[in-house]
Amino acid sequence: MFRFQSRQQQRLDDGGQINRLAPINFTFDGKKFIGFEGDTLASALLANGVRLVGRSFKYHRPRGIYSAGIEEPNALVALRSGDRHEPNTRATAIELFPGLEAKSQNRWPNLLLDYLQINNLLSPFLSAGFYYKTFMGLPGWHFYEYFIRKAAGMGDGTKFKDPDKYDKKHVHCDILIVGGGPTGISAAVTAGRAGARVILVDNHPKLGGQLNGERYFLDKKPAHHWVEKCVEELDGLENVTIATRTSAFGYYDSDVVNAIESVSDHLPEPLDYQCRQRLWQIRAKKVILATGATERPIVFSNNDRPGVMLASAARRYVNQYAVKPGKKAVIFTNNDDGYKTAFDLVRSGVEVVAVVDSRKNIPEHFEKELNEKDIEVIASSVVIDTYGYFGLNSVKIGTLSHDGKTIESNSYIVSADLLAVSGGWSPNVHLYCHSGGKPVYNDSIEAFVPGELSQNGHSAGASRGSFSLTDCLQEGHNIANTMAKALNLEVAEQIIPETDENTIVPIEALWRVPGKGKKFVDMQDDVTESDITLAHREGYVSVEHLKRYTTLGMGTDQGKTSNLNGQAIMAQEKSEPIEKIGTTTFRPPYTPIALGPLAGRDIGLSYKHTRRSAMHNWHKQNGAIFVEAGQWLRPQYYLNEMEQPSKENMDKAISREVQTVRTSVGLVDVSTLGKIDIQGKDSAEFLNRVYTNGWTKLPIGKARYGIMLREDGLVFDDGTTSRLDECHYFMTTTTSNAAAVLSHMEYYLHVQWPELDVKVTSVTEQWAAMALAGPKSRNVLSKLLPTIDVDNESFPFMGVREVDIEGVPARIFRISFSGELSYEINVPADFGELIWQRILEVGQAYSIRPYGTEAMGIMRIEKGHVAGPELDGRMTAADLGLQKLLSTKKDFIGSKMMDREGLKDKNRPRLVGLVPVDKKSRVKSGAILVKDPTLAPPVPKLGHVSSSAYLSPTLGHPISLGFVSGDIIETTKKIWAVSPLHKESHELEITDPVFYDKKSERLHD
Amino acid sequence: MTEVNTSKNSLRRRSGLAHVINYGQFGNITLSGPSLFICERHPLTILQLDTNKSKTLTDLSNLLNVEFPHTTNTCKGNDERRILWLGPNRWLIVEPEHGCLQTLIKNEFNSSEVFLTDLSHGRSTVRLRGRKARDILMKGSGVDWHLNSFVTDNCAHTKLFDLAATVDCRDIDVFDIYIARGFAEDFWEILQDAAAEFGYQVD
C-alpha cells in the first residue's frame, strides 16, 4: 500500500472515498501512473502531481484541471486507442479503470512544446470573428479554412467502426427524480415510502451528490452515513429504481426525459454481451429536477493557468479523493463558499496563504475557525493577476475601489500553486429550460432560477437556488410529498436530519476584476472579456448574437461555468440589468453524449427491417441474387450452379428466364403484392367508390383490373380485385402501395363512409403468391390439379378458382402481368415453399424455370403494362392510356378533380414506347427526353424515360417505356434521351407502348 | 376456406422461423441458468373476427367457452384459446391448430353477422418467458411494461424493435408476441441480440 502511495505525491495519507487496496495503472501521454479505485482521471492525475493536461482551443495556452465534474472546460483528453479512441472526454468525469490510456490533445508535437502556442503571441490579431473579418472577403477561403480549423480545434475522432453495442430502454414512472444529491435522495425517500413508482437517476457511480465532496454532518454524523442509510432503504423498496452512472440529458414534451446510462464506460471494455451505453427514455407523470448548481469563476487576468480551479472542486479533491490539488493556496471569493474551501484545505494539510474576499464584511461566524486555523482574510480585495507558465506560482492581490471599477495602488504578489476561485453558484436550470420553462433572475443569489412551471417538472434544492443543505433536504421532501398527494398516494413522514451548516451571508456579485491582461470568460472556447466588449462595441445587442459572434458557451461544456459571467459583462457594458439581457437558449443534450445509444441496435442491416417471402429460403439456396423492393427482398434473377455473379452472367440469366416464360413456363414469387381481404354487404358499393371503373356487376369467381385515383384526380394505384363470394372480395395492390392503399381505404370507411358495412384487412402476409406463366402453364396446372378442368372455357382469362392442391387450400387467379397465359397461385404462407417446390417438380417436364424481378419487369415492359415507375403520382388515367377505365356513370374518389383543365390538357405527357435507333443502346430509367442533346441550356424537357429493359430477349433489342408530351407525339417520331449525370445521350424512336402481342391473344388463349 | 384439409394433407406447415431457430442456451448464461426462455408457438390458428352485434358475441362466447374482452387492450381466455381485443368490434382468436375453428364458427353464424379473416399463416408467434422478459420488451417498445401496469390478460399493439407487434401477457413473466410473418427472421435476430446479455434458452 505504501509503495502505491509513495508514487502519488499529492495523495493524502487517509480519508476520501477511494479504495486504497485497489491500485489502478493508467497512462497519460504515454507516461505510467497509478491511482486508486474511486478516482477520476483528474483526481488521479492531481494525486500524481500532474497539473498541465491540455492546451486551449484557440491560443494553445497551457491548461490544467479546473473543476471536479461535468462542467470541466479545460481538461479535455483523448481516451483509449484504436477503434475505442474517443476525443474530448472530460478528465473530471472519467472513472479510472485499469489500463486507461489518456492523451492530451490540440497540441503538436507534444504538450510542453506545442508549436501553435505562438497563437498566444498573435492573440491581438485573433479576437472574436477574426477570420470572418480577415479571410472571408479574400479568395480561397476554403484553403484558409482548413488551416484555421486545424490550428484551433478539439481532438481528432477515430475512423474505425465503433466495436461496441448500444442499447435502449423505455421506462415509465410516477415520479422521476433527476439528481441523487441531498435533494434527490430526500425526495426519493418520501416518494418511495408513499408507494410511488420512482426512478432516481444520477450521473455519478454512487449517490450523494455534493455531500460526497463536503464535510457536512447530518444528525451529528458524517453525511455519508445518512446517504448510505437512505440508499439501503431505497434499495429495499420494490417501487424505487436507482440508476447511477445515468445522465439525464434532455427534457422533452409530455414529460419525457432521456438519459444515457454508462453501462461499461468505467471498464476497460464492455464485458461479454454487455453494451457500452444505454439510452433510457423515461415517461414520467411528475419530474423532480434536483440537478444541483454549478460554481462559477470570477473573471480576472490570466485566470486560466494550471493551478487555478473552482473552490468547490478543490474541496472535492481533498474530501472525496484525498488529493491535495496544491501545496500553497490562495482562495478568491465573493461569497461564503470560499471559506469552506479554506477550512477543508487546511484540514488536509494545504497551506492557505489567504482568503481574498471581494466583500467588505467578513462573515462573523467564520472568525473563530479562521483564527484557529490561522487563515488570513483580505477583505475588499481581489486577485488581479496570476503568474507561472506551465503552472501557477504566484498571484497578485489588490484592493478593490469602493465603486468596484478600479484597483487601488497597493497591490502585491504572494506565492501560491493553487488558486481556488468562487464567484457564486448558478442553479442547473438546463432541464427545466428544455421542458419549456423560462428562467428568471434572482438578485439574492445573483443567478438565474426556474420561473413558471412549464410541464410537470418541479425544480427543488440547489437547482432552484436553495443552497443551504437544510433547504435542499426539506424541499426534496416537500415536493415529493406534494406530488405523492397529487397521485392519490398516502404520504409517509420523513424526519429531516439536522445539519451543522452556518447561516449563509448573501453573495455580493463580482463578475470581473478591473485591469489589463487576458481575462478568460469561456475557457473552453478561449473567449475573453475583451471579446465580449468588442462584440458590444460592434453592435451585437442580443445575447444570442453575442454567443454566435464570440462562441461564448458553444463548447462541449455549453458554457456551464461561463455563460452567466459573459451575460453579466454584456449587461454591464450595456448598463442594463442582467435579467434584461436574459440567457441564451438551453438545448439538449445537457452533457455531450455519444450518438451510439441514440441509434441503439438500429444500425447496419437492422437500420431497416427486411421482409422475406415464404419462399425466401428456397430462393437463397437456388442461386437467387436478391434486390430490395421496399422492405422486401426479392429474387432479381437466378444464377445457375456454376455461374458467378457478374454483369455478363446477369444478362445471361435474365435472357434465359424471359425466353423460358415466352416459350414454355416459368414461376415467379409475387408474394410481395399487397393483398387486402374485403368483406361486408356493401363491399361492391365500396369498390365502386374506390375504383374508377364499375364493380357492382362483377360475378363471383371473376377478377377485374382497376385503377384508383387520389382525391386530386391523379392515379394512385392499380391492381386486380376478385369476387370470392357474394360479399367477399380479394384485392391486390402494387407492392409499394400496399400499406398506403389499406390506409386510404380505412380512412374512407372510418371517416367518410361509416355507414358502409365493409371490413378491410391486410392479408399480404397470410398468402404466399406465385405466378405460373408461359404457354405451358396450363399443362403444369392441370398436372397439379388432376381433378379440375382448367381449359380455356372452364377457367377463362380473369377467372378465379378456390381449389385444393394436394390438401392445401389455394386461390388461383388467371391474370397476367407477363403477357403470357398465366395463373397466380395463392396458398397459405406456411405452405408457400412446399407448393413452390411442388410446382417446380411438376413443371420439370416442361423445363420450368423460376424467374426474378428483372425478367418479370422486361416482360411487362414488352407488354406495355404500367407499374410503379409509371404510377409515380403525377399521371392521369389518360396519360397512362387507361381513360377507358374512367366510368362516367358514377362518382368515385378523384372523379370531381380529374377533369381540371390542367389534367385534360392534350399536351400532357402520354405513355409511349421508346426504342434506341441503334437498337443496342441501354437507356437509363429517369433519362430526360429532349429534342436535341446539343442545345444550349435551358433545354425544354419533352418527357422522361420511366422504365427500361436493357435487353429484350423477345425483341432482340433494348426497349423502354416513357412519357412524351402530347404535341410532340403528334409531330415527332424521334427524340433524344439524355442523362447529364452519366454524360449519356441516345436517339430514340417513339413507338406504341405495347411491343408484344398487341392483341393479347396469348393471355386469352 | 383457407383451413387445411388435414385428412388429405400429408404436408406440414412450415413456419417463417423454421430456417433460423437453433435450440439451446446462448448469451450470458450464469450459474443460475438462463434468465429468459424463448420459443416459437406454431402451428396456431389465428382468426380475426369482426362483429358489432352483442347477441352474436354472447353466442360466440358460449360456442367458444371464452368471454370476449370489451376493455381496450385486454385479452381473455385459457391455456388453449385466447381472445385479444384488437379494436372496436374487432378481436383476434388464437389457439393451437387442432380443429377447424373457422368452420366451427361459420357453421353457427352467417357471414352477415360475423366476419372472419384467417391470419394463421400471416403471423409468427414467439413466446417470451422468464424474469428478464419484461426487460426485453422495455428495450424495444415504449409501452409501460411494468408488472403493476401491464398485467396478466393485458395486450398491447405496439412497435416492438420498430416492428408492428401484438403482445399478450399470458402470465406475470410470460408473453406471446405476434409479428408479421415476413419480418419474423429479422425479429428473431433482434430478439436474440437483445436477450444475449441476460442469457437465454431457445426451447
Side-chain angles (χ1 to χ4, degrees):
Chain A
M1 191 171 108
F2 178 74
R3 189 165 56 87
F4 303 131
Q5 185 88 26
S6 66
R7 294 172 67 173
Q8 300 178 47
Q9 62 268 40
Q10 293 298 104
R11 185 76 75 180
L12 295 168
D13 290 337
D14 53 22
Q17 297 170 27
I18 50 171
N19 182 2
R20 290 166 197 268
L21 297 175
I24 292 175
N25 291 298
F26 71 100
T27 63
F28 177 66
D29 276 347
K31 197 173 170 190
K32 293 178 181 173
F33 296 101
I34 292 176
F36 289 126
E37 187 181 276
D39 265 326
T40 61
L41 173 60
S43 68
L45 286 170
L46 286 172
N48 284 279
V50 177
R51 303 172 74 196
L52 175 66
V53 294
R55 289 284 180 162
S56 74
F57 178 73
K58 189 158 80 173
Y59 302 125
H60 287 249
R61 287 168 66 98
R63 291 281 168 82
I65 293 160
Y66 197 75
S67 74
I70 57 167
E71 68 272 29
E72 177 62 32
N74 282 347
L76 302 184
V77 297
L79 198 62
R80 306 178 203 257
S81 58
D83 49 8
R84 289 198 167 89
H85 168 87
E86 187 180 7
N88 310 324
T89 59
R90 290 145 295 168
T92 51
I94 299 164
E95 289 181 59
L96 205 62
F97 56 80
L100 179 149
E101 285 177 71
K103 285 194 182 108
S104 57
Q105 50 188 39
N106 199 32
R107 84 289 186 275
W108 190 83
N110 58 53
L111 191 53
L112 280 176
L113 198 53
D114 190 17
Y115 291 156
L116 279 173
Q117 61 190 304
I118 194 171
N119 283 3
N120 197 26
L121 299 175
L122 298 173
S123 59
F125 306 104
L126 303 177
S127 59
F130 83 95
Y131 50 90
Y132 297 124
K133 295 168 184 167
T134 312
F135 296 106
M136 285 293 194
L138 297 174
W141 159 246
H142 290 297
F143 174 75
Y144 308 124
E145 186 188 20
Y146 171 80
F147 293 99
I148 291 168
R149 293 200 186 281
K150 193 86 180 157
M154 315 291 276
D156 295 323
T158 176
K159 290 178 179 166
F160 296 112
K161 187 182 172 192
D162 188 339
D164 295 326
K165 286 192 171 191
Y166 297 87
D167 213 340
K168 292 184 184 178
K169 184 171 187 170
H170 303 263
V171 287
H172 294 243
C173 62
D174 293 326
I175 300 175
L176 168 67
I177 301 165
V178 183
T183 311
I185 293 173
S186 177
V189 168
T190 300
R193 285 179 185 171
R197 268 171 69 187
V198 175
I199 295 175
L200 171 60
V201 299
D202 189 88
N203 59 337
H204 295 98
K206 63 179 192 174
L207 299 185
Q210 196 64 24
L211 295 178
N212 291 328
E214 305 283 3
R215 295 194 187 213
Y216 281 125
F217 279 72
L218 291 173
D219 285 342
K220 299 183 178 159
K221 289 181 187 169
H224 68 86
H225 285 274
W226 177 80
V227 174
E228 285 159 10
K229 199 179 80 178
C230 291
V231 171
E232 191 182 340
E233 180 181 347
L234 293 171
D235 278 341
L237 294 173
E238 280 188 0
N239 52 318
V240 177
T241 302
I242 298 174
T244 52
R245 295 193 177 102
T246 304
S247 178
F249 67 83
Y251 192 141
Y252 303 91
D253 288 351
S254 305
D255 295 296
V256 172
V257 174
N258 280 0
I260 299 288
E261 178 189 1
S262 294
V263 179
S264 59
D265 281 328
H266 61 292
L267 303 174
E269 58 185 64
L271 304 174
D272 287 346
Y273 309 110
Q274 190 180 43
C275 64
R276 181 190 162 204
Q277 295 179 349
R278 180 179 288 124
L279 172 69
W280 287 53
Q281 199 160 66
I282 308 167
R283 291 166 173 83
K285 289 178 187 164
K286 310 274 182 191
V287 181
I288 297 175
L289 297 170
T291 47
T294 300
E295 193 170 28
R296 56 179 184 263
I298 298 170
V299 178
F300 56 91
S301 184
N302 292 310
N303 56 343
D304 64 328
R305 297 190 193 283
V308 180
M309 69 168 60
L310 292 170
S312 61
R315 240 168 27 239
R316 188 176 283 269
Y317 284 118
V318 292
N319 293 335
Q320 183 169 352
Y321 302 107
V323 170
K324 290 194 285 186
K327 292 174 181 138
K328 203 169 176 184
V330 169
I331 316 294
F332 179 24
T333 187
N334 62 0
N335 65 90
D336 286 6
D337 223 65
Y339 292 86
K340 283 200 284 186
T341 303
F343 298 147
D344 287 355
L345 288 176
V346 170
R347 281 190 201 104
S348 303
V350 178
E351 181 191 345
V352 174
V353 180
V355 175
V356 180
D357 192 334
S358 61
R359 296 175 296 181
K360 195 190 293 182
N361 300 317
I362 308 305
E364 287 176 10
H365 50 262
F366 288 139
E367 276 182 13
K368 187 182 168 205
E369 194 165 357
L370 286 167
N371 290 333
E372 280 173 5
K373 293 188 166 62
D374 196 20
I375 299 171
E376 183 189 358
V377 177
I378 308 170
S380 301
S381 296
V382 291
V383 170
I384 305 167
D385 205 347
T386 68
Y387 304 94
Y389 192 66
F390 288 122
L392 183 77
N393 59 33
S394 54
V395 300
K396 189 176 188 181
I397 300 167
T399 309
L400 203 56
S401 63
H402 287 298
D403 62 3
K405 290 184 177 170
T406 55
I407 304 293
E408 307 287 342
S409 57
N410 58 346
S411 60
Y412 54 97
I413 294 173
V414 296
S415 72
D417 63 354
L418 172 65
L419 175 57
V421 184
S422 179
W425 289 77
S426 298
N428 293 327
V429 296
H430 306 66
L431 291 177
Y432 160 77
C433 293
H434 298 172
S435 77
K438 299 280 178 214
V440 294
Y441 196 73
N442 182 332
D443 290 326
S444 67
I445 61 165
E446 298 289 0
F448 283 95
V449 295
E452 286 179 20
L453 203 63
S454 172
Q455 298 188 44
N456 284 305
H458 296 253
S459 298
S463 70
R464 68 182 288 269
S466 303
F467 295 144
S468 98
L469 180 55
T470 307
D471 288 348
C472 288
L473 295 166
Q474 192 64 56
E475 281 185 19
H477 166 69
N478 290 348
I479 190 65
N481 210 340
T482 307
M483 286 182 176
K485 280 180 188 165
L487 293 165
N488 295 320
L489 297 168
E490 273 191 34
V491 179
E493 272 309 305
Q494 186 194 168
I495 298 164
I496 301 301
E498 271 183 41
T499 66
D500 62 339
E501 63 186 338
N502 291 305
T503 311
I504 295 174
V505 175
I507 185 175
E508 284 177 19
L510 174 70
W511 307 108
R512 55 178 168 172
V513 173
K516 292 182 179 174
K518 206 170 280 301
K519 295 186 267 186
F520 287 92
V521 180
D522 181 341
M523 284 183 217
Q524 189 171 105
D525 282 345
D526 271 353
V527 179
T528 61
E529 180 208 27
S530 63
D531 288 326
I532 296 172
T533 55
L534 177 68
H536 167 68
R537 289 199 304 277
E538 293 187 353
Y540 289 89
V541 294
S542 156
V543 70
E544 296 285 3
H545 293 160
L546 170 77
K547 173 179 172 175
R548 282 151 186 83
Y549 186 60
T550 63
T551 69
L552 174 74
M554 289 177 70
T556 60
D557 63 344
Q558 295 205 338
K560 288 184 176 64
T561 56
S562 61
N563 277 347
L564 186 56
N565 285 344
Q567 289 147 9
I569 291 169
M570 189 184 185
Q572 286 178 340
E573 292 295 314
K574 292 179 74 178
S575 300
E576 287 179 353
I578 297 176
E579 54 266 40
K580 196 170 175 194
I581 297 292
T583 65
T584 51
T585 306
F586 294 86
R587 295 188 179 89
Y590 170 61
T591 55
I593 56 169
L595 292 175
L598 301 185
R601 50 174 47 79
D602 304 333
I603 55 168
L605 290 176
S606 297
Y607 175 70
K608 190 179 74 173
H609 288 299
T610 303
R611 213 168 171 185
R612 296 169 177 85
S613 84
M615 286 79 87
H616 180 86
N617 200 54
W618 188 94
H619 302 320
K620 204 163 76 176
Q621 291 173 348
N622 287 276
I625 301 296
F626 289 96
V627 63
E628 288 184 11
Q631 289 183 297
W632 291 97
L633 271 186
R634 302 188 71 177
Q636 190 178 13
Y637 54 93
Y638 297 83
L639 291 174
N640 279 345
E641 209 168 305
M642 301 303 289
E643 287 175 335
Q644 294 301 313
S646 69
K647 192 168 176 295
E648 194 180 41
N649 284 340
M650 172 178 160
D651 286 354
K652 271 165 68 180
I654 294 166
S655 295
R656 187 162 64 215
E657 291 170 14
V658 171
Q659 280 160 353
T660 302
V661 177
R662 291 287 185 228
T663 58
S664 182
V665 59
L667 189 66
V668 63
D669 184 349
V670 291
S671 302
T672 62
L673 289 176
K675 305 174 203 77
I676 298 171
D677 188 86
I678 302 170
Q679 295 185 57
K681 67 178 171 60
D682 298 322
S683 298
E685 172 58 23
F686 174 64
L687 291 171
N688 229 23
R689 297 183 190 187
V690 169
Y691 279 123
T692 61
N693 46 343
W695 288 82
T696 49
K697 293 178 182 167
L698 180 71
I700 294 169
K702 290 288 279 184
R704 181 168 290 169
Y705 176 75
I707 57 170
M708 298 177 190
L709 303 188
R710 294 189 316 223
E711 292 80 352
D712 62 5
L714 294 169
V715 175
F716 174 30
D717 200 52
D718 73 340
T720 59
T721 293
S722 307
R723 192 168 197 172
L724 303 176
D725 208 337
E726 184 63 29
C727 301
H728 191 186
Y729 292 79
F730 182 80
M731 174 185 281
T732 62
T733 71
T734 57
T735 298
S736 56
N737 272 335
V741 169
L742 182 71
S743 170
H744 176 74
M745 297 204 302
E746 284 186 327
Y747 164 76
Y748 275 92
L749 283 172
H750 293 159
V751 180
Q752 302 292 346
W753 309 319
E755 73 282 4
L756 292 186
D757 181 17
V758 179
K759 314 290 175 199
V760 294
T761 306
S762 170
V763 288
T764 302
E765 297 279 1
Q766 169 71 10
W767 296 94
M770 52 209 90
L772 182 67
K776 303 290 184 191
S777 56
R778 184 179 289 130
N779 304 56
V780 177
L781 190 67
S782 65
K783 277 196 163 192
L784 204 62
L785 302 169
T787 61
I788 295 174
D789 202 350
V790 294
D791 63 49
N792 205 25
E793 286 71 39
S794 308
F795 197 171
F797 182 60
M798 298 308 266
V800 178
R801 294 288 178 273
E802 293 192 81
V803 299
D804 184 308
I805 303 176
E806 299 180 5
V808 174
R811 290 174 180 170
I812 303 181
F813 308 88
R814 193 181 150 187
I815 51 181
S816 177
F817 195 48
S818 58
E820 296 295 335
L821 172 67
S822 173
Y823 302 89
E824 278 190 15
I825 302 168
N826 284 240
V827 294
D830 280 357
F831 295 113
E833 187 176 337
L834 299 172
I835 296 299
W836 172 275
Q837 285 177 290
R838 184 73 187 120
I839 294 172
L840 289 175
E841 276 170 33
V842 170
Q844 268 183 358
Y846 306 95
S847 303
I848 193 170
R849 182 180 288 283
Y851 64 99
T853 54
E854 283 295 326
M856 186 177 73
I858 288 170
M859 287 188 280
R860 73 98 185 160
I861 293 170
E862 289 172 347
K863 189 72 183 100
H865 282 160
V866 294
E870 285 73 43
L871 306 176
D872 65 357
R874 297 179 295 175
M875 300 302 161
T876 65
D879 298 341
L880 296 163
L882 300 171
Q883 59 272 35
K884 284 182 183 170
L885 291 174
L886 302 175
S887 170
T888 54
K889 297 175 184 167
K890 59 160 192 167
D891 271 347
F892 50 86
I893 296 170
S895 60
K896 291 286 188 284
M897 300 290 272
M898 69 179 187
D899 289 331
R900 285 177 290 160
E901 191 179 351
L903 302 188
K904 303 290 278 184
D905 186 346
K906 285 182 181 171
N907 291 335
R908 283 184 61 81
R910 293 208 303 264
L911 184 70
V912 294
L914 299 162
V915 177
V917 169
D918 63 6
K919 297 284 174 76
K920 62 182 182 186
S921 295
R922 296 186 165 197
V923 182
K924 288 193 164 53
S925 299
I928 303 300
L929 298 173
V930 298
K931 187 177 178 187
D932 181 350
T934 60
L935 289 175
V939 183
K941 178 187 169 188
L942 306 179
H944 72 278
V945 177
S946 56
S947 303
S948 260
Y950 293 159
L951 55 104
S952 167
T954 316
L955 302 172
H957 56 77
I959 53 171
S960 301
L961 294 177
F963 292 88
V964 176
S965 302
D967 51 339
I968 301 298
I969 295 173
E970 304 299 326
T971 58
T972 312
K973 293 291 172 204
K974 289 185 180 163
I975 201 165
W976 284 83
V978 295
S979 185
L981 281 177
H982 304 94
K983 296 183 178 164
E984 287 179 6
S985 57
H986 304 290
E987 192 176 19
L988 307 175
E989 187 184 342
I990 300 171
T991 69
D992 186 272
V994 182
F995 296 95
Y996 179 73
D997 186 24
K998 290 183 189 292
K999 293 181 180 172
S1000 294
E1001 289 166 344
R1002 297 178 73 87
L1003 50 92
H1004 282 99
D1005 284 347
Chain B
M1 227 2 248
T2 62
E3 279 178 325
V4 179
N5 184 342
T6 47
S7 61
K8 284 164 62 183
N9 176 44
S10 58
L11 305 173
R12 287 185 60 196
R13 284 174 58 176
R14 182 171 293 181
S15 92
L17 292 169
H19 301 288
V20 292
I21 292 182
N22 287 315
Y23 300 98
Q25 295 189 342
F26 306 93
N28 186 25
I29 302 290
T30 60
L31 289 175
S32 58
S35 308
L36 269 170
F37 298 85
I38 308 173
C39 68
E40 188 193 15
R41 295 194 67 216
H42 185 267
L44 295 179
T45 296
I46 304 174
L47 283 185
Q48 180 182 286
L49 184 146
D50 287 85
T51 185
N52 55 7
K53 296 178 171 59
S54 54
K55 169 74 168 62
T56 306
L57 268 188
T58 310
D59 295 342
L60 274 164
S61 292
N62 293 334
L63 178 72
L64 302 177
N65 285 324
V66 177
E67 225 180 299
F68 276 71
H70 291 280
T71 308
T72 310
N73 296 329
T74 59
C75 324
K76 299 235 169 160
N78 47 45
D79 284 348
E80 278 284 289
R81 182 173 285 158
R82 302 284 292 172
I83 302 182
L84 286 68
W85 182 94
L86 282 191
N89 303 321
R90 179 171 279 189
W91 293 267
L92 200 68
I93 309 172
V94 183
E95 65 178 27
E97 186 185 70
H98 45 55
C100 294
L101 180 63
Q102 194 170 357
T103 310
L104 177 73
I105 296 172
K106 280 192 166 175
N107 286 345
E108 297 293 324
F109 300 90
N110 68 49
S111 59
S112 63
E113 290 177 288
V114 170
F115 304 98
L116 289 174
T117 312
D118 189 359
L119 300 175
S120 306
H121 296 248
R123 301 284 179 273
S124 286
T125 310
V126 173
R127 175 163 290 180
L128 202 57
R129 179 170 62 86
R131 59 191 168 84
K132 290 292 183 184
R134 287 176 191 269
D135 292 74
I136 294 290
L137 297 172
M138 282 182 204
K139 288 186 181 204
S141 157
V143 169
D144 185 0
W145 300 107
H146 192 274
L147 51 84
N148 293 341
S149 183
F150 194 71
V151 299
T152 304
D153 287 344
N154 274 186
C155 67
H157 312 288
T158 181
K159 281 185 95 178
L160 188 59
F161 299 112
D162 273 339
L163 290 169
T166 296
V167 183
D168 173 8
C169 182
R170 300 291 300 258
D171 206 338
I172 289 178
D173 284 332
V174 183
F175 303 90
D176 285 346
I177 303 168
Y178 302 89
I179 294 281
R181 189 188 199 281
F183 291 116
E185 279 193 34
D186 252 24
F187 178 68
W188 186 258
E189 201 175 296
I190 294 167
L191 192 62
Q192 287 184 301
D193 185 50
E197 73 167 298
F198 304 126
Y200 65 96
Q201 179 172 309
V202 179
D203 295 323

